[in-house]
Amino acid sequence: MSPPDLLELTIDGQPLKVPPGTTIFEAARRSGIAVPVLCHAQHQTPVAVCRVCTVEVKNARVLAAACIRPVENGMEVWTDSERVRKVRRTLYEVLLADHPTPCARQQATGDCELETQAAQAGLRHSRFAARSHARGADASSPIINVDHTACILCDRCIRACSEVKQNFVIGRTGKGTETSIAFDTDVPMGESSCVGCGECMVSCPTGALTNKRALDVVLHDGAEISPDELLALPMFAGASGTFLALNRGSVIRRRFRAGEVICREGEQGSTAFYVLSGRVQVSIASPLAHVKDSRGSQGAGVTRFFRRLSQLVSSDEDPRDEGGHRFIPIDASVNLPHGNPVAELGQGELFGEMTCLSLYPRSATVRALEDTEVLEMLRNVLYMLRKNRTFKAELDRRYRDRALATHLRSVPMLAGVSEDFIDHLRERVTLVAFEPGQVIFRQDEAADNFYLVRIGFVKVTQSFPGGEIVLKYLARGDYLGEIGLLHDSVRMATCTALDHVELVRIGAEDFGEMMRRFPAIRSVMEAEASSRLAEVRERHERAASLPISNFLAQGLMEAQNLLLLDLERCTRCDLCVRACADAHDGVTRLVRDGLRFDHYLVATSCRSCRDPLCMIGCPVGSIRRRDSLEILIEDWCIGCGLCAKNCPYGNINLHSFTVSVPDEMQPGRKKAVVREKATTCDLSRDLKEPACVYACPHGAAMRVEPLSFFAEKLGLSR
Amino acid sequence: MLLDGAQRRWLIGTALAAVIATAAYVPYATGRLNGPSGGSWPGLTFGVVGFALMLYAGALGARRKVPTWRVGRATTWMKGHLWLGLFSYLLILYHAGFAWGGSLTLALMVLFTIVIASGIYGVILQQFMPRLMMDRLPLETVYEQIDAIVGQLRGEADALVGSVAGPLPVAELTPPDHRRGGGGLAPGEALTRGPRPRSAAVLPPPSEATPLRDAYVREIRTYLSLDVPRNRRLGRRRERDALFAHLRTMLPTPFHEALDELNAICEERRQLALQKRMHHWLHGWLLVHAPLSMALLLLAAVHAIISIRY
């Protein structure tokens, strides 16, 4: 007789002694007998949903699930009897009926547990028909692919998320054959509170949750760093070691000597950098300059030569900024002051987020000030880190300490906020992140917060009977949500994240306090809000009464300001083009060619679109629109060309021109270098009238607001 | 410049000024013993004012060189050039007393008459040519780009015919260039058309496209070159359509889409050739008007100096 604290049983004829409470599965495992399982994982609470671990117990009425059935004294168990094999085979067939064979995991690594076990049971296909419609896939997460069709509802991911990681994101939704796993309130995984630890993915026995490699890229330029070394770093505390192992090569260690350039402004990139040690300098190397509007002739021959010569030695680059933008927003936790666009970052700082997440061009040049060590990472790792509570808290703290004040003051109408109020706000603001396409708030919802855009682009739209209008795009440094709070009303528009967006959220109470303490700011905000509302009302009226015609087919509805050439008057003398070139450093911003509407030629020149696609993605926020219509490209344009690519009408071009910069080889002297800047028609804003219109001798060229101008032809009542 | 309602004020003003000048001239001319004379005070006044207006009219050329200078809108200058230029002719006639004088003054009056006549001719052209170009040239492009576009059309045609009829027996094929232009082009950079979309029909073997290849190499390709004689039948729409209709009867149906495309290319070539001709008509008169105006002003200055000094 064995001690009373051990139970005796036999499994497949083998006698065993196990402590009370041991399950049949555990008892078998200790004696080297493998019982196949799909839903059971040893570090998780058994739930016995799959029944694949079914075993035969002597004198029992039904087969037992080994993972959950406790051992009893004198039990006789067979794990591989004919009856068990038959039942198990049927279970595999049922599970395989809907399972895509081979699934993503089976294709990638050949170790889908369901398909492997089914093959071992001599089963390749199911005789049962698949459901009539697939359960769908979810690719919203940048690091994990979700294929609901491959899911066998084993519950492992749910227990991994809740029991193991305590995140409580995954659950179940639906009933019967409509059951599936769900994230939060059944939102796409990328929009949920999933922190991207990867625990669900490593727990999944099939291809339902699989690793998504970022860009199929492996970084090569630095030293590989092992998952163990990464986990030893505080920033990776809480990360999944398996996730890091699966994504080897997605984060590397790089060392830079003092003076070495880490990245250059305008370059394409796909990585972010985290400073482990050392200091770096962040700057915009492109000189602050723009193509000047000229009141006079460029001259010819000797005159032009001497004018060009004077530009080489002149230090006056005629800055465009009129004090409205005192900081240049870049892809880091700091803004660069306009007068001297240089800043420093140190240990624990992150830069290149927007480039990494949204593939925008680099916004600044980063150079090591001393021997520096950085981690360079791809999007999947950055995404996981941004969701990591410890890392996010540290990033937030640095933002509050370093950048919040300048960020607030870079919003022109908030420049007058006092230092003590900023200190008051510092710990009260929240940094909130939104995924691409995620709605920040909807039109007609209650207004509860004021937001500043920290990174990313936000689309502001408004619905009206007949469709939706894009009002504007907001970039880093812009703000949203003030109208509803000022007027104590509902949201006037819907704001949606266009890419990976992070906002500074200021609660209604703090916003109200700010308005009370700084009445000047309130006045300016109210004036701005009224102007915006009036503009939107007018837009609604026009849009509602406009008949749809080939006016829309040419995209003219989107235009607020068209350059038209009356073909019945135009003698094709090209004086308009020459005048434009004359006014803009010799390069015209209009082409006397394009589509025709009625007897007008719609020249190829900036249309001041209602939906300015050109503004999306500018890494330094240099393309913007003033209160008037014209699109403006600021001095600090780094010539990346993204706006030119975005413009659907080819109205933005990169223009090379010569500027003088300090000569590094000969201190104290300057040299001429060629830089590229984007240029577009700015309605000759420095002149009273557009140069092209002014110079046309036949009255053929005109700048018009298309809806008003064509009102009669379109049948609008005016 | 289009003579429309916007000219009304200038017309009335000029007419009024002409009436006043005539009212001043008639008593002066009839009351003088030896008839009107350019050297008399009224004659000199007519001459000085007329010359001043001629100088103003001539300054339009200088004004066009500085299009962004804020010295008055270009339309105002053009209107002044037209109406005051015309008025100056009347004043000079009054100055001369309708007499031609010596060789210099005769030459001046002949020059002046040619300049005015060429100017009137140009204005007449501007009343209908722009509209005619708009109607007849739906595929009009920038004049300076025509040669480049023609080159691209040829490349497009080479590629099109080559894709259906096999390699072409020509010395040098023009590669198609599908760069997109638009907005801020540097001088010489071409505006382009993109490749035309084509259906994915399965084509018969190239040997069945021999009539197309032969017609293309023999005639059509030459038409798509830069310098084309005007009397080519491909430049006349009816005859071109007849040629392509004949080719359609000789080619299997799957080739007809390529034929239509080639016809469209030829039509575009025709329009570009027409555009060139119409552009020359619209601006050719300036080759007479502008240099003769300069010569006129120069000689008028010489006449003024000689007359006053001697």
Side-chain angles (χ1 to χ4, degrees), chain B residues 50-66:
Chain B
F51 186 50
L53 292 180
M54 284 166 65
L55 282 174
Y56 170 78
L60 178 68
R63 171 71 181 85
R64 289 163 69 102
K65 297 289 181 202
V66 290

Side-chain angles (χ1 to χ4, degrees), chain B residues 10-22 87:
Chain B
W10 282 89
L11 174 63
I12 292 169
T14 306
L16 217 60
V19 164
I20 294 169
T22 305
F87 184 51

Side-chain angles (χ1 to χ4, degrees), chain B residues 125-144:
Chain B
L125 281 178
Q126 287 171 7
Q127 305 312 300
F128 65 90
M129 285 293 288
R131 191 178 298 124
L132 206 61
M133 289 177 77
M134 183 188 73
D135 291 338
R136 293 196 181 178
L137 303 173
L139 297 174
E140 181 184 354
T141 185
V142 177
Y143 175 79
E144 287 78 11

Side-chain angles (χ1 to χ4, degrees), chain A residues 81-101:
Chain A
S81 66
E82 180 60 31
R83 185 181 171 203
V84 165
R85 281 202 298 273
K86 193 175 171 187
V87 165
R88 209 174 273 152
R89 225 180 126 81
T90 305
L91 285 170
Y92 288 143
E93 270 192 283
V94 170
L95 290 172
L96 277 178
D98 286 337
H99 187 82
T101 307

Side-chain angles (χ1 to χ4, degrees), chain B residues 21-249:
Chain B
T22 305
Y25 175 76
V26 167
Y28 143 72
T30 53
R32 214 159 176 271
L33 197 60
N34 297 323
S37 163
S40 63
W41 281 112
L44 262 178
T45 306
F46 282 127
V48 166
V49 175
F51 186 50
L53 292 180
M54 284 166 65
L55 282 174
Y56 170 78
L60 178 68
R63 171 71 181 85
R64 289 163 69 102
K65 297 289 181 202
V66 290
T68 54
W69 282 22
R70 299 283 138 163
V71 291
R73 307 185 87 249
T75 44
T76 309
W77 276 78
M78 181 59 85
K79 286 174 190 168
H81 176 87
L82 266 176
W83 298 105
L84 297 179
L86 264 180
F87 184 51
S88 70
Y89 191 68
L90 181 69
L91 290 180
I92 295 301
L93 282 176
Y94 288 171
H95 162 71
F98 294 88
W100 307 125
S103 54
L104 177 61
T105 47
L106 177 63
L108 272 169
M109 282 315 296
V110 167
L111 259 181
F112 204 358
T113 306
I114 296 173
V115 166
I116 292 294
S118 61
I120 292 172
Y121 173 71
V123 169
I124 292 171
L125 281 178
Q126 287 171 7
Q127 305 312 300
F128 65 90
M129 285 293 288
R131 191 178 298 124
L132 206 61
M133 289 177 77
M134 183 188 73
D135 291 338
R136 293 196 181 178
L137 303 173
L139 297 174
E140 181 184 354
T141 185
V142 177
Y143 175 79
E144 287 78 11
Q145 301 292 327
I146 288 177
D147 288 350
I149 299 288
V150 169
Q152 287 171 15
L153 287 176
R154 190 177 204 185
E156 219 177 295
D158 281 349
L160 172 66
V161 175
S163 70
V164 300
L168 297 174
V170 293
E172 193 180 321
L173 281 173
T174 312
D177 180 2
H178 300 308
R179 282 180 302 120
R180 279 255 167 239
L185 294 180
E189 193 174 351
L191 287 172
T192 69
R193 274 81 169 133
R196 297 162 211 263
R198 209 177 301 156
S199 64
V202 176
L203 295 173
S207 55
E208 295 193 35
T210 304
L212 170 61
R213 188 178 59 233
D214 290 345
Y216 181 73
V217 171
R218 192 180 56 238
E219 187 174 359
I220 299 173
R221 194 167 192 269
T222 317
Y223 180 69
L224 298 178
S225 58
L226 287 177
D227 299 312
V228 178
R230 198 176 157 176
N231 58 0
R232 285 223 169 245
R233 65 169 171 165
L234 288 169
R236 294 186 286 276
R237 201 178 320 188
R238 202 172 289 178
E239 292 181 45
R240 189 188 72 235
D241 287 345
L243 168 67
F244 277 90
H246 176 65
L247 283 173
R248 285 172 87 93
T249 64

Side-chain angles (χ1 to χ4, degrees), chain A residues 235 516 701:
Chain A
M235 61 190 283
R516 275 189 296 278

